[in-house]
Amino acid sequence: MEKTYIYSFAFLLSVSSLISCKSNKNATSEKTGLAYNRQENGGFQVNNKFRRGPGPGLVEIEGGVFVMSGSAINIPGEELGNYNHKRETTVSSFYMDETEVSNTNWLEYLNWIRRTDPTNYEYYYNELPDTLVWRRPLSYNEPYVDNYLRHPAYQDYPVVGVSWEQAQRYCAWRTDIVNESLLREQGYMASYKDVNGTGKGKPAATTTARPTGPFTTDLYLNGQYDDKGKRAMKDLSPTAAAAGATAPKGGVTRNVRLEDGILKQPYRLPTEAEWEYAALGLIGNTEYENISNNKIYPWDGLGISSAKSKTRGLILANFKRTKGDYMGVGGSLNDKGSITVPVRNYVPNDFGLYNMAGNVNEWVADVYRTNTFDAADALNPYRGNYYQDKKVADAVTGKLEKDKYNRPIMTAAVSAKKQTWAEKQAAANAPAATANTYADQRGYRDRANELYGEITLVSDKSRVYKGGSWDDQALWMNPATRRFLQQDESTADIGFRCAMTMLGASEIRTQGKPQFKPKQQKPFNAKKR
């Protein structure tokens, strides 16, 4: 079985520091012969020491080929016939949360809203989970309504009552918090102590006023957030060189760019294919591209209890064994929980992921259709694309328009290809674009029913959830099962976890594996021509 590795945020910050401080100043373009990272050569900067790593809480998932819905149990019945479309599929490598998002994780989000925008009661209210999901007409669950989210007895339990839309907003917030923390802790921006007035130092001087409102990654990358710390990146451009005596001590500085490889990719919900691939964890059953045996659950074997001598008979996930058995007999409880259990209960699968079956169902990114995997692409299949552009406030400078939450305003994409400069200027000055057939791809190749959302319960806002829960029987713990709920609705048995795109080569660990060794580039020497 391959080992999985979880990296601490402190380790990632140290790696980022190593990357930024030790870029190879002697690197040379093999096409022009000009040295990179030299002001006299135009100041083009290249980080050729980049080493990727996951964001906080994430585990590396090495992608590969698998049979989507291949683990499905063939049980007759219309109810279960809608997910069993077996198709060979490839998933690119990515990162996924080791655990489901917990109540404490969500309370951190709520605390941030209250702290940064204390008078925006609507914002705070909109992000509150619906604790009324625990109420059922013929059950006494009122204690969960008042206590499940906030009481420390449930702090490590998965958050529930969260809609798909709320989960999406949490992912966006988490992206910005992680990137801001990275920049401030490493000195690219002023430290938290300086910003909050709790340190001895003072915030670094800025050329323009900081924007009102919280940090957002998109605005920062677009140059609309001017907050440079003690270790801000040096600007080697000719413009910076021309500043001369007017430059601050240490030289002209700039914001971190995407090209520097320091900022993390956005946190997001996993696609259905990514989630199913990660849940199966076939990497533990694979050697030299041969899968020794398939799975019907995230663990080996056909049973739902442990076969190991020390834990023989213990249930491997949190679910109900029969319609009335939620936790077993007193004195010998099977799954130890009548409702949810802590997010790190039971044994993780071969990717190191906890509770990929049972505990709570989990939202995924996809729009629900019964026939998606008959039509979807074989590489990274996904239904739900709604292409958007960031709304430009100034067509010449490229300044982005922002909303009251300090996030870029998004508009429906107007073109399937790069526009000419004239087209781009015209589009910026035209009225806001409305949804069009190019931007909205949720119904692409969907010919089963042209009236989705009008004569069916399924619509473009129906989102897939997977994994089974404390309120489901074992059948639904099969990774291939899929159900749907409207994206603005929530229940007491649906939670979520985040994912992140992995950039670069798909292979994660190359040690002990055969490799082709590329020929090393020879440095160009103009004097020898």
Side-chain angles (χ1 to χ4, degrees):
M1 181 188 302
E2 292 206 15
K3 295 181 179 179
T4 56
Y5 298 88
I6 303 168
Y7 298 90
S8 69
F9 195 31
F11 170 77
L12 294 174
L13 292 175
S14 65
V15 170
S16 297
S17 175
L18 180 67
I19 291 168
S20 60
C21 295
K22 296 187 177 181
S23 58
N24 188 351
K25 295 182 179 180
N26 298 320
T28 303
S29 168
E30 63 178 340
K31 303 302 182 186
T32 66
L34 288 173
Y36 300 143
N37 307 314
R38 300 287 291 273
Q39 198 166 52
E40 61 269 27
N41 289 344
F44 179 55
Q45 293 174 275
V46 176
N47 175 13
N48 57 1
K49 296 291 186 181
F50 168 73
R51 293 183 182 180
R52 69 186 178 198
L58 299 173
V59 173
E60 297 167 318
I61 309 293
E62 185 169 282
V65 64
F66 81 116
V67 178
M68 189 94 182
S69 296
S71 63
I73 306 169
N74 292 314
I75 298 179
E78 185 178 353
E79 179 187 13
L80 303 176
N82 290 336
Y83 64 80
N84 198 2
H85 296 295
K86 294 179 173 62
R87 182 173 180 178
E88 191 174 54
T89 300
T90 294
V91 173
S92 297
S93 297
F94 63 102
Y95 305 112
M96 181 175 268
D97 269 340
E98 179 193 16
T99 69
E100 297 144 342
V101 173
S102 71
N103 286 320
T104 295
N105 300 146
W106 197 269
L107 289 174
E108 181 184 12
Y109 179 32
L110 295 177
N111 176 72
W112 178 89
I113 295 173
R114 177 172 283 170
R115 175 171 53 83
T116 59
D117 202 354
T119 60
N120 194 339
Y121 305 111
E122 179 185 3
Y123 188 11
Y124 186 85
Y125 180 81
N126 287 341
E127 299 312 308
L128 284 172
D130 182 4
T131 61
L132 300 182
V133 293
W134 289 106
R135 285 181 174 169
R136 296 182 181 182
L138 297 177
S139 294
Y140 179 64
N141 291 333
E142 206 63 18
Y144 303 134
V145 174
D146 297 328
N147 295 299
Y148 182 81
L149 174 64
R150 299 183 184 276
H151 196 282
Y154 298 108
Q155 62 185 2
D156 295 325
Y157 287 53
V159 67
V160 298
V162 172
S163 69
W164 182 93
E165 293 174 350
Q166 287 176 302
Q168 286 281 87
R169 294 194 292 268
Y170 174 89
C171 291
W173 166 81
R174 185 176 172 187
T175 299
D176 293 332
I177 285 295
V178 166
N179 281 330
E180 182 183 13
S181 297
L182 195 156
L183 293 171
R184 293 198 186 282
E185 293 294 333
Q186 287 299 300
Y188 301 114
M189 291 171 59
S191 70
Y192 280 119
K193 287 185 178 181
D194 288 342
V195 169
N196 296 325
T198 58
K200 296 180 180 179
K202 296 181 179 180
T206 59
T207 56
T208 60
R210 296 190 186 102
T212 56
F215 172 93
T216 51
T217 304
D218 286 328
L219 292 183
Y220 176 83
L221 285 173
N222 202 52
Q224 292 176 236
Y225 202 104
D226 193 353
D227 183 346
K228 300 182 182 69
K230 297 177 181 178
R231 296 184 59 252
M233 303 292 290
K234 297 293 178 62
D235 189 344
L236 301 181
S237 66
T239 304
T246 63
K249 184 178 180 180
V252 178
T253 56
R254 61 169 175 82
N255 281 2
V256 167
R257 300 171 183 151
L258 192 62
E259 295 95 315
D260 296 319
I262 293 171
L263 295 174
K264 296 299 177 186
Q265 288 294 296
Y267 285 85
R268 57 177 174 79
L269 291 176
T271 67
E272 182 175 359
E274 286 175 335
W275 194 99
E276 184 174 332
Y277 178 85
L280 276 174
L282 289 174
I283 193 170
N285 297 48
T286 304
E287 187 174 6
Y288 302 112
E289 289 199 278
N290 294 314
I291 299 175
S292 57
N293 57 285
N294 284 313
K295 300 177 179 178
I296 60 173
Y297 300 115
W299 53 82
D300 284 329
L302 303 177
I304 55 176
S305 58
S306 173
K308 295 182 178 180
S309 58
K310 292 184 179 180
T311 56
R312 183 168 291 128
L314 293 182
I315 302 296
L316 292 168
N318 180 23
F319 65 102
K320 60 179 183 181
R321 290 192 297 185
T322 63
K323 291 183 178 180
D325 182 1
Y326 283 82
M327 62 177 180
V329 178
S332 183
L333 300 180
N334 54 45
D335 64 29
K336 321 280 187 202
S338 58
I339 54 168
T340 57
V341 295
V343 295
R344 277 192 171 82
N345 268 28
Y346 312 110
V347 179
N349 75 354
D350 289 334
F351 277 124
L353 305 173
Y354 288 85
N355 289 305
M356 292 301 284
N359 211 20
V360 289
N361 290 288
E362 297 180 14
W363 288 114
V364 297
D366 293 57
V367 166
Y368 179 84
R369 290 289 192 275
T370 59
N371 65 337
T372 289
F373 300 106
D374 283 341
D377 290 346
L379 175 63
N380 298 325
Y382 168 69
R383 183 182 292 282
N385 283 309
Y386 188 94
Y387 301 122
Q388 293 181 303
D389 297 327
K390 300 179 182 72
K391 188 176 181 180
V392 178
D394 188 326
V396 177
T397 64
K399 184 178 180 180
L400 300 177
E401 192 168 331
K402 58 185 181 181
D403 61 16
K404 62 181 180 180
Y405 302 113
N406 218 37
R407 298 190 183 282
I409 293 176
M410 306 300 293
T411 59
V414 297
S415 177
K417 62 179 182 179
K418 179 183 176 181
Q419 297 172 294
T420 65
W421 179 256
E423 289 172 338
K424 187 174 179 64
Q425 303 309 302
N429 297 318
T434 57
N436 55 63
T437 54
Y438 163 70
D440 190 352
Q441 299 294 319
R442 290 173 292 183
Y444 184 67
R445 289 182 182 170
D446 183 15
R447 299 292 179 264
N449 194 329
E450 298 290 348
L451 297 175
Y452 271 117
E454 296 184 29
I455 63 172
T456 69
L457 294 175
V458 178
S459 72
D460 284 341
K461 293 187 176 182
S462 301
R463 299 289 174 170
V464 178
Y465 65 89
K466 297 172 74 73
S469 76
W470 61 271
D471 200 25
D472 291 314
Q473 292 184 252
L475 169 66
W476 295 106
M477 296 194 299
N478 181 282
T481 57
R482 57 198 306 257
R483 289 173 282 181
F484 71 91
L485 189 70
Q486 297 304 98
Q487 65 185 41
D488 59 351
E489 297 179 1
S490 59
T491 72
D493 63 354
I494 300 180
F496 73 102
R497 72 180 75 210
C498 302
M500 179 185 285
T501 299
M502 181 185 294
L503 304 181
S506 294
E507 192 170 51
I508 293 175
R509 283 173 290 279
T510 60
Q511 292 181 354
K513 299 176 182 178
Q515 303 287 336
F516 292 108
K517 293 185 178 180
K519 186 178 180 180
Q520 296 296 318
Q521 173 192 347
K522 293 182 179 180
F524 177 80
N525 190 336
K527 296 181 180 179
K528 293 183 179 181
R529 288 188 299 176

